Amino acid sequence: MFSTFKSSKKWLFAFGGLLSLFGLIAFTEIRHGQKHVQAVIIRIDQTDGYRFLTRRDAMGYLTNEGADPIIGKDYADVDLRRLEKRLKQHGLVKNCQISRDLTGTLLVVIEQPRPLARLVTASDGARTVSGQYVSEDGHFFPISMNYSARVPILTGNYFDQNRSLASERNKALLDLLKRIHNDSFWRAQIAELSVDKQGEVTMWPQMGNHQIEFGPPTELDAKFRKLKLVYTDVLPAKGWDRYSRVSVQYRNQIVCE
């Protein structure tokens, strides 16, 4: 009986030693994995349904189109801040955060810019897409081959000299674009805005053959209130094609001709 106990104890120690060995091997493998990038997980913010970027695009930006591979690289040689800076150089990346987890995975979270309008320029008398949107913070960013946002067209000589709306001087125009974007009625109704050299705004709607003379992008509440009256009371009664010109730019006046 005593011999059986000693034998059982011996097997127990042997089993425990084997288990410790496997645990040590597993721990060593995990520690080895933690020292190298095992995988890259890319999460792209798609709020509002915008899909300008794909994970393949982001991986290309991250690795300098494959010239600087990341997977398998020692974490001591991975500069997360430098990678974030590299991503932010691309216009389709508004912001990003890169971190690592305990398993050796690199986590990349990307925020895309949100467009308010699409800039179109004139070339030799023909209108051509310039390849830019204006974002909610006033910066212009390139169009994407992956996705086309349904936003108003933006035209006019004003943009010959103004390549950004992210300034105090252009705040009023940016506020106008935000006002249209954030209101479901006007977002569906306004198809195009043209801004002349003096900053005067003319709009064209989705419905009707008229143009809207909005004037400078100021007194937005009063002007949109008058314009809403035209669309809810005047045009339904008189006909959507009755007028070629609607002006709300003057105080206390609505002109329909």
Side-chain angles (χ1 to χ4, degrees):
M1 181 175 177
F2 183 72
S3 176
T4 303
F5 175 75
K6 285 181 66 178
S7 178
S8 299
K9 191 174 181 180
K10 186 185 296 184
W11 277 106
L12 188 61
F13 276 120
F15 179 74
L18 193 61
L19 193 62
S20 298
L21 179 61
F22 281 126
L24 183 60
I25 293 172
F27 178 76
T28 302
E29 288 295 321
I30 291 173
R31 292 295 295 173
H32 179 75
Q34 289 175 342
K35 292 181 180 179
H36 297 81
V37 179
Q38 301 298 304
V40 178
I41 295 178
I42 297 174
R43 297 185 181 129
I44 301 175
D45 171 27
Q46 292 187 357
T47 305
D48 298 331
Y50 301 131
R51 299 181 298 276
F52 298 121
L53 272 177
T54 66
R55 289 175 177 81
R56 182 176 180 179
D57 295 330
M59 194 65 179
Y61 297 162
L62 200 64
T63 62
N64 198 19
E65 302 303 333
D68 185 14
I70 294 175
I71 294 177
K73 200 169 188 177
D74 193 310
Y75 264 118
D77 299 326
V78 177
D79 186 338
L80 301 185
R81 302 287 80 81
R82 185 175 66 86
L83 291 179
E84 288 179 352
K85 185 177 180 181
R86 179 183 289 175
L87 279 175
K88 290 176 183 178
Q89 288 176 344
H90 294 271
L92 295 176
V93 177
K94 178 182 178 181
N95 203 359
C96 67
Q97 288 185 334
I98 302 178
S99 59
R100 52 170 291 194
D101 65 13
L102 296 178
T103 66
T105 298
L106 204 66
L107 305 174
V108 182
V109 179
I110 294 175
E111 180 184 0
Q112 300 175 101
R114 290 171 171 79
L116 299 178
R118 184 170 182 169
L119 181 65
V120 169
T121 58
S123 176
D124 298 327
R127 296 171 64 185
T128 57
V129 177
S130 70
Q132 290 184 311
Y133 292 105
V134 56
S135 71
E136 60 186 356
D137 55 7
H139 295 292
F140 287 90
F141 66 96
I143 62 171
S144 166
M145 299 298 291
N146 304 310
Y147 178 77
S148 180
R150 297 188 63 181
V151 291
I153 295 296
L154 193 60
T155 65
N157 295 332
Y158 187 79
F159 302 102
D160 293 343
Q161 302 297 325
N162 292 272
R163 306 308 300 166
S164 170
L165 300 184
S167 66
E168 189 62 31
R169 177 176 183 267
N170 291 315
K171 183 178 183 301
L173 180 55
L174 185 62
D175 287 344
L176 172 61
L177 295 177
K178 288 180 180 179
R179 180 67 171 264
I180 293 171
H181 179 79
N182 294 333
D183 188 303
S184 59
F185 180 84
W186 296 120
R187 188 168 65 247
Q189 186 61 25
I190 303 300
E192 182 178 334
L193 301 92
S194 179
V195 188
D196 66 18
K197 288 185 177 180
Q198 287 71 44
E200 302 272 319
V201 178
T202 302
M203 304 179 186
W204 284 266
Q206 295 281 5
M207 294 180 59
N209 296 320
H210 57 278
Q211 68 179 36
I212 303 164
E213 296 176 359
F214 198 83
T218 57
E219 301 180 7
L220 299 186
D221 288 341
K223 289 180 180 179
F224 275 112
R225 189 161 50 245
K226 289 187 290 185
L227 196 55
K228 190 71 171 285
L229 184 64
V230 171
Y231 279 94
T232 56
D233 293 357
V234 177
L235 293 180
K238 299 293 186 178
W240 289 91
D241 296 325
R242 173 71 179 273
Y243 303 108
S244 60
R245 169 177 170 259
V246 173
S247 175
V248 294
Q249 62 181 315
Y250 302 113
R251 185 169 295 182
N252 300 322
Q253 290 186 34
I254 300 176
V255 179
C256 298
E257 295 180 344

